[in-house]
Amino acid sequence: MSVQELATESPEAEAHVLGACLMATPAYDAVADAARVLGDGAALSPANELVWRAITRLHGRSWPTGVPMVEAELRSTGDLDRAGGPARLSQLAMAACGAGQVEHYAELVQGFAALRRYQGALARAQQTARLVSPTDVPDAIRAHQADLDYLAVGAEADEHFGRLGDDLHEHVKALETPTEAAAVTGLMDLDAVLKMRPGNVIVVAGRPAMGKSAFTLGIALANAGTGRPTLVHSMEMGKSEVLNRVLAARARVGLHHLMDGGPAVEDGDWTRMLRVLPDLTKLPLWMDYAARVTPSRVRHRIKALNRETGRVPLVIIDYVQLMDTDQRNGRQSAYERVSDVSRELKIIAEDTGAVIICCAQLNRGSEHREGKRPQVSDLRDSGQLEQDASAIVLLHREDAYEPASPRAGEVDLILGKNRNGPTCTVTVAHQLHFGRIRDMAQID
């Protein structure tokens, strides 16, 4: 038997993949291609797995994955020596395969891992065959067959497969306990009809200046105020603007005062802001102001907060059309990019149990319609958003088009899609000078 036939791993293939990831550029994101095949990296040798995990951590933060950054990451976790040291990282970078070959080599690495698992199953069967009694042979064969079936189907697929009746009694019994919403909006009438469940993707859409950011930031504050961890990816607004909006909404300070700063902030403004600061600083609310956010970054943030708090956070993305795909493919059209992002966010929500609320822009279709009320079909760039969403909330303000409207100060929250409840319209009040949206009964 030749050496090739005995091989159960391919150090060269692993080096090609990791080297490409260490040499990734904005024009070609090798990490995303490798991650689709390797996942968490259990297929790699122990030293290479440490390098792979460092790369994916950096990639999840949208940081470069070059040798210096990976070396610093490994050093910070105390794994640099176990990963082979700086010299090993340089060797890996020199072994990088060409663009477009990463998935091929990653599949080869994964194939060798499957071969090792298969050989392990055969070794276990052989050991059992030596020890089994003649009367237990049928049971031993069935056990071996189950082992092989598990390898053939895969652990992940196996977790999602089973008979309908297997869990039916447990499900009926669980119905005795009221189901708590996974997240809340803080708007009483909306919470009554919009039941957010783990794994839901909610799209909040509207034309510019309708109040999407005020609405979703208010949701973040209300949800965090109940003690639920909350994560906001703010790509449209920077830290200063977000903090001004939070202070304005909570302290009832004119947003324009805070935008101007200095003498524009009155004595009463300072008093009200100082009064709310202690509560705001204690909120389990995390902000990510990165201008470039990918689905993998969202997934890593969710996992990190879950580890830190023991709970899956509500995630708000402002807004989805600004997100990039993990492929960083400059040749993708906006439609293709938003479609890919939408599908990945749906998978992330289902995998992690998070509720993800995505702000989205609408096209100009509603502005040519009588009454200018938006429809779900007005979602810009992708019909995939409509398909993947568990609920779609469309914001509409008559006073945005007619300042003298008798409905000035009102916002219609149009539930154009709602898998967990009715489609209807909930009317709330806006105080955009404070950067907030409130229940009609809460106006003060």
Side-chain angles (χ1 to χ4, degrees):
M1 188 175 292
S2 69
V3 174
Q4 179 63 34
E5 291 173 325
L6 289 172
T8 59
E9 60 183 14
S10 175
E12 295 82 5
E14 293 185 18
H16 290 329
V17 173
L18 294 177
C21 294
L22 291 169
M23 300 296 289
T25 67
Y28 176 61
D29 184 5
V31 182
D33 285 348
R36 278 195 296 272
V37 179
L38 296 179
D40 289 336
L44 297 157
S45 65
N48 285 342
E49 185 175 344
L50 293 173
V51 177
W52 172 245
R53 291 187 183 280
I55 289 171
T56 55
R57 285 196 299 271
L58 292 168
H59 188 265
R61 303 173 197 144
S62 293
W63 290 357
T65 57
V67 171
M69 290 295 291
V70 173
E71 180 181 340
E73 179 70 13
L74 288 167
R75 196 182 300 278
S76 71
T77 60
D79 293 324
L80 182 59
D81 289 339
R82 290 199 297 148
R88 172 62 177 156
L89 294 179
S90 297
Q91 291 170 359
L92 289 173
M94 292 176 63
C97 62
Q101 296 180 306
V102 174
E103 285 194 64
H104 166 73
Y105 284 112
E107 287 168 358
L108 185 60
V109 171
Q110 196 70 271
F112 273 109
L115 176 59
R116 292 193 296 273
R117 290 191 291 270
Y118 177 45
Q119 290 178 343
L122 293 178
R124 289 191 296 273
Q126 191 172 33
Q127 180 68 15
T128 300
R130 293 194 189 100
L131 302 175
V132 70
S133 67
T135 57
D136 292 333
V137 169
D139 289 339
I141 292 174
R142 280 191 289 270
H144 180 52
Q145 183 65 54
D147 205 359
L148 294 178
D149 288 343
Y150 182 81
L151 291 177
V153 175
E156 182 177 355
D158 201 54
E159 292 174 1
H160 298 285
F161 179 76
R163 287 171 56 94
L164 171 69
D166 290 347
D167 303 311
L168 196 54
H169 289 289
E170 291 79 3
H171 177 75
V172 171
K173 185 172 180 57
L175 294 176
E176 297 174 0
T177 304
T179 303
E180 181 185 359
V184 298
T185 68
L187 299 169
M188 184 172 58
D189 292 339
L190 184 59
D191 282 330
V193 293
L194 181 63
K195 305 291 186 181
M196 291 187 281
R197 308 296 189 210
N200 283 177
V201 173
I202 315 294
V203 173
V204 173
R207 292 292 295 149
M210 285 294 165
K212 297 186 297 297
S213 295
F215 175 59
T216 51
L217 193 55
I219 291 175
L221 291 168
N223 191 71
T226 67
R228 295 175 172 93
T230 306
L231 166 65
V232 178
H233 288 277
S234 180
M235 288 168 279
E236 189 173 36
M237 296 186 296
K239 181 185 292 187
S240 179
E241 187 174 354
V242 169
L243 294 179
N244 282 340
R245 285 175 175 267
V246 169
L247 289 169
R250 278 301 178 92
R252 291 189 300 127
V253 172
L255 184 57
H256 60 287
H257 292 184
L258 302 182
M259 292 297 185
D260 292 340
V265 184
E266 301 171 355
D267 290 343
D269 297 338
W270 291 113
T271 300
R272 287 190 291 274
M273 285 192 292
L274 290 173
R275 190 179 301 136
V276 301
L277 277 180
D279 289 337
L280 287 176
T281 56
K282 295 175 185 176
L283 287 178
L285 175 58
W286 284 262
M287 302 295 305
D288 187 341
Y289 301 103
R292 183 181 182 276
V293 174
T294 63
S296 65
R297 184 183 182 94
V298 175
R299 182 186 288 273
H300 281 282
R301 288 280 187 258
I302 292 171
K303 289 184 175 180
L305 289 181
N306 192 12
R307 287 193 298 269
E308 181 175 342
T309 67
R311 299 182 67 175
V312 178
L314 165 69
V315 180
I316 294 174
I317 297 172
D318 188 11
Y319 58 94
V320 70
Q321 281 104 342
L322 290 178
M323 287 188 67
D324 289 328
T325 62
D326 288 307
Q327 288 81 8
R328 304 183 195 176
N329 185 352
R331 291 173 294 183
Q332 275 188 317
S333 67
Y335 185 94
E336 292 169 332
R337 176 174 52 80
V338 175
S339 295
D340 284 351
V341 166
S342 174
R343 189 60 191 143
E344 286 301 313
L345 290 177
K346 180 61 178 174
I347 292 171
I348 290 170
E350 291 176 346
D351 286 349
T352 63
V355 174
I356 300 179
I357 298 178
C358 301
C359 289
Q361 295 283 12
L362 296 178
N363 60 36
R364 297 180 182 274
S366 62
E367 301 194 352
H368 303 294
R369 191 177 298 128
E370 185 177 356
K372 305 188 186 302
R373 289 178 69 82
Q375 299 175 358
V376 169
S377 58
D378 296 331
L379 280 168
R380 199 173 78 188
D381 292 328
S382 176
Q384 191 71 38
L385 286 170
E386 178 182 351
Q387 180 177 329
D388 292 332
S390 300
I392 299 175
V393 183
L394 306 170
L395 275 65
H396 176 64
R397 289 171 38 220
E398 282 192 9
D399 60 6
Y401 302 101
E402 298 178 29
S405 166
R407 298 193 61 207
E410 296 183 2
V411 183
D412 286 335
L413 306 178
I414 305 166
L415 272 78
K417 178 180 180 180
N418 189 11
R419 286 180 182 160
N420 300 326
T423 54
C424 59
T425 298
V426 174
T427 301
V428 294
H430 74 75
Q431 296 177 315
L432 296 184
H433 56 293
F434 291 151
R436 67 182 187 175
I437 290 176
R438 310 275 280 171
D439 279 316
M440 296 293 285
Q442 290 182 320
I443 293 301
D444 50 16

